[in-house]
Amino acid sequence: MHSGTAAEYASLCGPLVALCPHDARARFPQPFDLAAAETYAIEKETFGGRLDALDLSAYDRDELDGTLAPLVHSYSEQCTTQLLLWAATTFGD
């Protein structure tokens, strides 16, 4: 267990969260025109697969898992498409 301030948590998790949708704007170059995006490949990519590909330390993986918990309920079943679309609509962040 670790403790700290909200600012410390944000400074730790902010960079980790940014790793997940790093390719959001590339995948959704025009996020408000879904017909402009080819999503087949990312519809097959699960959150678990994406997190595994990041090759994080156990500590960083736990931190990122805790941060994403309100959004992700099944790492083996949910795909990354919606997360990337959300990120693309906010300029990839």
Side-chain angles (χ1 to χ4, degrees):
M1 176 187 271
H2 298 274
S3 63
T5 67
E8 290 169 332
Y9 181 73
S11 70
L12 172 70
C13 292
L16 294 173
V17 171
L19 292 173
C20 286
H22 69 277
D23 57 342
R25 287 306 294 237
R27 299 288 188 159
F28 292 96
Q30 299 171 326
F32 297 104
D33 181 6
L34 294 180
E38 174 54 56
T39 61
Y40 181 77
I42 54 175
E43 288 175 10
K44 302 296 180 193
E45 180 186 43
T46 65
F47 270 102
R50 180 157 282 232
L51 293 183
D52 290 344
L54 294 175
D55 197 30
L56 300 171
S57 69
Y59 180 80
D60 286 348
R61 174 78 182 239
D62 285 347
E63 289 295 328
L64 187 55
D65 181 39
T67 301
L68 294 176
L71 301 172
V72 183
H73 304 289
S74 177
Y75 286 98
S76 64
E77 295 177 12
Q78 284 181 264
C79 68
T80 59
T81 310
Q82 191 164 14
L83 173 73
L84 295 177
L85 177 60
W86 290 337
T89 61
T90 58
F91 303 103
D93 186 4

